[in-house]
Amino acid sequence: MANRPMSNNGDVSYDGTSYYFALESTRAVKDIQRDPKVALGFSSEAGLLSEGIYVAVEGDAELIRDKAAFKQHWNSDLDKWFEKGADTPGLTLIRVKANRLTYWKGTEEGEIRL
């Protein structure tokens, strides 16, 4: 299991599915080809009016190479990472379907199975 910084750009469905873009040549894509089980981590800092929260997600990844799907999940923030937008050669969409979430917020913690 390896960690790497990625952004889902807020593209997360109510059912725990999230989407990420990567290039075919990246280690992330090669790792998923070998084993589609993935772990994701999300956190927010504590603020004046809120405690921070950490969420660990376990799920299964799928590699999608369909340009229609690229366009469905594309937003302009991605343009700085992928020069030709959804037409970038080697572009791959990673779909992660969560099956277990664990969270910690201060002294509160819990688990949700999807």
Side-chain angles (χ1 to χ4, degrees), residues 23-97:
L23 294 175
E24 183 74 32
S25 60
T26 61
R27 182 176 169 195
V29 171
K30 291 175 181 167
D31 285 349
I32 291 167
Q33 286 172 330
R34 271 193 309 279
D35 184 352
K37 297 203 178 309
V38 297
L40 310 174
F42 301 94
S43 65
S44 69
E45 293 184 30
L48 183 60
L49 301 174
S50 67
E51 296 180 67
I53 187 168
Y54 180 81
V55 179
V57 177
E58 296 173 29
D60 296 298
E62 174 187 0
L63 300 173
I64 300 169
R65 295 175 179 91
D66 175 50
K67 284 192 181 188
F70 296 172
K71 291 177 181 175
Q72 181 181 358
H73 295 282
W74 196 264
N75 70 53
S76 61
D77 292 340
L78 294 164
D79 292 336
K80 65 183 170 193
W81 299 103
F82 304 102
E83 186 177 303
K84 295 184 180 179
D87 294 318
T88 300
L91 190 63
T92 303
L93 179 61
I94 302 169
R95 176 183 168 263
V96 176
K97 175 76 171 155

Side-chain angles (χ1 to χ4, degrees), residues 2-8 20-22 26 28 39-42 81-82 94:
N3 289 310
R4 60 195 52 85
M6 297 183 78
S7 171
N8 64 15
Y20 306 84
F21 282 94
T26 61
L40 310 174
F42 301 94
W81 299 103
F82 304 102
I94 302 169

